[in-house]
Amino acid sequence: MGVVTAPSTAEETRDFVDGCDASRFSPRPLDPGQRGPWEVGARNLEIGDLTVEVLYPAAPGSLADQPPLQIDLRDALPESQRSLISDDKKPKVECDCYRNLPLDQGAGPYPLILFVHGTASWRTQSLSLMSHWASRGFIVAAADHPGLWLADLLAGICGEPVGARQDMVRDLRVLHDAFTGAQGELSFVSGSVDLDRIGIAGHSAGASAAAAAATLAGVQTVISLAGNRSIQSTARLSSALFLGGMEDQVIPFSQTQRAYENSDFKRRLVGIEGGGHLIFSDICELTNEDGQNLVEIATEAGVCGTQFAAQLFDCASSTVPPETAKSLVNATTTFVLERDLQCVTSAADFEEFSSEGWVEVVETRD
């Protein structure tokens, strides 16, 4: 399907910059690490059997006095375990985004990014990164993947029924098809999503799923965050980006580097000094009002399977400051997404990221 032109509006006074084909966007900071000009809307949808979070550029002036989006992470636990954590002990998850704002139909059409979380995680594990992308003119969708997300994995340990069999590529097809039709709860993006320019990004196990789904129609860019699966070229793919933490104890950087080397089209590689496995998510920064992290909260509450989660939620291996890591991940991923999917060029060349502090490896191969 080709580019779907965004509906015209009476906003003649707005300034726009041209993107690919007939697309247009609000002017953004040249630094891809800076947040974009859009307020970010968020909608929680049921698409097939998937619970999905969709983030998108909101219409100018639509924010009013709404409070920021807050996510209740107890919903990522097996249902039997949720009541063990009281309201005053739950972790605080807040985003610079807002529920059910209208989509900005005066710009676009917007490229689509599908994000896949990692093992024992959930759809909003990288909410700050997804919000950053949406603020710069992308529609971003992330699902809780059955069989992979935290509730299912803990349920298996606790002897409770587990959801559907794990099949992230199938899940991505469901999302892809839903956006192609853009009906029902997704009708709000109809006419404003560019299905010829799609990016798929994933973390850890989600990075492998993103690589495997590179053949979906319209996919031009794949972003592998702490992944170890190579990506083979298709007629549509423009480039891939591999990011890894040099101190990752789950997927060693050497495996990410090998996947980069074994891919066979234009790709880029970044290694972040002092970075552990979870620097591509918000997991290590999520605490409650008492400063307890996710593992401490679950342990104190007696949540079943906490020992398993503690092994995966390894935050101690990272020495890079969290805000520095987020800034680097925001900047490098946005650089690639804007070039490939929006035909927008930032002020710098990719190799210039090598001069940033805490960046140890930067490579590009055609």
Side-chain angles (χ1 to χ4, degrees), residues 263-285:
S263 300
D264 62 356
F265 63 109
K266 183 176 180 64
R267 67 272 194 199
R268 299 176 175 93
L269 173 70
V270 174
I272 298 178
E273 179 186 351
H277 190 62
L278 297 179
I279 61 170
F280 308 105
S281 75
D282 301 328
I283 291 172
C284 292
E285 288 76 66

Side-chain angles (χ1 to χ4, degrees), residues 22-41:
S23 62
R24 62 181 189 171
F25 302 95
S26 294
R28 285 151 295 178
L30 288 178
D31 178 357
Q34 292 186 29
R35 194 169 176 87
W38 280 280
E39 298 289 356
V40 175

Side-chain angles (χ1 to χ4, degrees), residues 2-4 103 109-112 139 179 182 189-196:
V3 171
V4 184
L103 176 74
Y110 306 103
L112 173 66
I139 294 173
F179 275 94
V189 304
S190 180
S192 294
V193 58
D194 186 348
L195 296 170
D196 267 351

Side-chain angles (χ1 to χ4, degrees), residues 30-169:
L30 288 178
D31 178 357
Q34 292 186 29
R35 194 169 176 87
W38 280 280
E39 298 289 356
V40 175
R43 300 200 185 190
N44 180 249
L45 312 177
E46 298 297 324
I47 299 177
D49 61 348
L50 303 174
T51 299
V52 182
E53 206 71 39
V54 180
L55 276 64
Y56 53 90
S62 61
L63 179 56
D65 296 322
Q66 293 193 43
L69 170 65
Q70 292 192 0
I71 302 290
D72 192 338
L73 274 191
R74 292 175 296 188
D75 292 339
L77 297 174
E79 190 169 351
S80 65
Q81 306 295 300
R82 295 172 189 172
S83 63
L84 296 177
I85 300 176
S86 61
D87 287 344
D88 62 333
K89 286 292 186 178
K90 70 178 182 180
K92 183 179 181 181
V93 186
E94 192 169 284
C95 171
D96 191 5
C97 45
Y98 304 85
R99 276 283 179 235
N100 301 323
L101 297 182
L103 176 74
D104 180 9
Q105 296 182 321
Y110 306 103
L112 173 66
I113 304 174
L114 304 178
F115 181 83
V116 191
H117 65 73
T119 301
S121 197
W122 51 88
R123 66 186 184 275
T124 57
Q125 68 149 64
S126 300
L127 190 58
S128 62
L129 176 60
M130 296 191 298
S131 176
H132 181 81
W133 292 336
S135 80
R136 294 187 67 98
F138 295 92
I139 294 173
V140 188
D144 289 328
H145 290 275
L148 182 73
W149 76 305
L150 182 61
D152 281 343
L153 291 179
L154 289 182
I157 294 172
C158 301
E160 300 179 12
V162 179
R165 182 173 63 88
Q166 183 182 124
D167 189 345
M168 288 95 79
V169 175

Side-chain angles (χ1 to χ4, degrees), residues 17-20 25 28 335 338-340 342-346:
V17 295
D18 292 333
C20 305
F25 302 95
R28 285 151 295 178
F335 178 99
E338 289 185 346
R339 288 210 172 190
D340 287 358
Q342 294 181 344
C343 302
V344 173
T345 303
S346 64

